[in-house]
Every structure is written in structure tokens, then in C-alpha cells.
Amino acid sequence: MPNVSMTVNGKQVSGEVEGRTLLSTFIRETLDLTGTHIGCDTSQCGACVIHVNGQSVKSCSMLALQADGADVTTIEGLAAGDQMHPMQEAFRDCHGLQCGFCTPGMVMSAVDLLQHNPDPTDHEIREWLEGNICRCTGYHNIVKAVKQAAGAMKGQAAAAE
Ligand code: FES
Ligand code: FES
């Protein structure tokens, strides 16, 4: 079987995979990083979103071999030690989750949104997150959380200047 290696959450990892092994399967079953969720088999729900080379990607729609040599971040790699990422804090503060199943993918997608657009409108947030399905329909508070995180991250950026 071919070998794949990549950097995941700052650590070099490698493993044997079949040609058909999905990146989501490699992350969950080989690396045991089960924060990346699988909520569908049609690439529609977005529960599996991670970052590959800084871009949000549905990890169920990519083969592990396609990520060979990539720099991958999963939800487990977002916090800085004990310090939650501002997006995670905002989801907690705004009750942007109910069952939490969609949350890792929502958070990873939302972080990527703010990389592209640091001050999105409600409409832009809803549009960006259209590939992420919340079956608890908590969209209102999810949008609130993304806006709060945008404000917090702008504040952090200004303080660093
Ligand atoms: Fe990847 Fe649903 S598990 S989109
Ligand atoms: Fe339950 Fe979104 S919080 S699916």
C-alpha cells in the first residue's frame, strides 16, 4: 500500500493508505483525530471541514494521497494550548451549537471566511456557510458567533500593530 505523509496540527505524520482512502478516514481512523466529523456520504454536510494548506476543504471529498506533503489543520489544532481560538470562544459565548455535531466543520469554515473577509455581513456569513448543514438549525446563533469572532480578531490584530 502507498505511504502518505503530511503535517497535521504542526506534527509530521505518515501512514499506509489504500488509493481510495479518504482524507477524512485517514484523519479519524489512522490519526485518531475524531473532532473531524462525518455527517453524510454525499459531500453535502460540511461536518468534515478542515484546512489544507490554509484553505477550508471537505476532507471527505479528498483522497488522503492528494494531501501528501500538505500542511493540514483540524479542529484539534485550532486552539493555542489552553487558549481557545476566538472562533471557538465565540461559538461558546453565543451558544452557536446545540448537539455540536456540525460545530467543528462550522468553526473551520468560519475561520477560513475571516481569512478572506475579516468583516463579513450576516448575508456573507450565511452564504459562506451554505456548505455546512446544522441539523439542529442553530444558524441564528452561529451567525452571531462568527460576527463576534470577527470583532475579537480585529481587536487582536489592532492590538498587535
Ligand atoms: Fe464531508 Fe458530509 S462528511 S460533507
Ligand atoms: Fe447539532 Fe449543528 S448543533 S447539527
Side-chain angles (χ1 to χ4, degrees), residues 37-49 58-61 131:
H37 292 164
I38 305 297
C40 72
D41 56 10
T42 50
S43 293
Q44 279 177 313
C45 76
C48 64
V49 172
K58 288 180 173 173
S59 59
C60 74
S61 65

Side-chain angles (χ1 to χ4, degrees), residues 32-87:
D32 219 13
L33 293 172
T34 52
T36 298
H37 292 164
I38 305 297
C40 72
D41 56 10
T42 50
S43 293
Q44 279 177 313
C45 76
C48 64
V49 172
I50 59 169
H51 294 178
V52 176
N53 296 328
Q55 304 282 320
S56 55
V57 166
K58 288 180 173 173
S59 59
C60 74
S61 65
M62 196 170 166
L63 296 171
L65 284 172
Q66 289 176 301
D68 193 40
D71 188 14
V72 170
T73 306
T74 68
I75 190 72
E76 289 90 347
L78 209 55
D82 290 344
Q83 184 70 44
M84 280 196 290
H85 187 282
M87 189 64 73

Side-chain angles (χ1 to χ4, degrees), residues 3 8 15 34 39 43 54 69 76 85 105 123 127 134 137 148 150 154 158:
N3 208 67
V8 178
T34 52
S43 293
E76 289 90 347
H85 187 282
H123 179 70
E127 233 178 15
C134 177
T137 66
Q148 178 174 307
K154 268 197 295 188

Side-chain angles (χ1 to χ4, degrees), residues 118-141:
D119 193 15
T121 63
D122 286 22
H123 179 70
E124 287 167 335
I125 294 168
R126 286 176 185 274
E127 233 178 15
W128 184 272
L129 293 177
E130 77 176 357
N132 293 80
I133 294 171
C134 177
R135 288 159 170 106
C136 301
T137 66
Y139 296 107
H140 179 72
N141 285 357

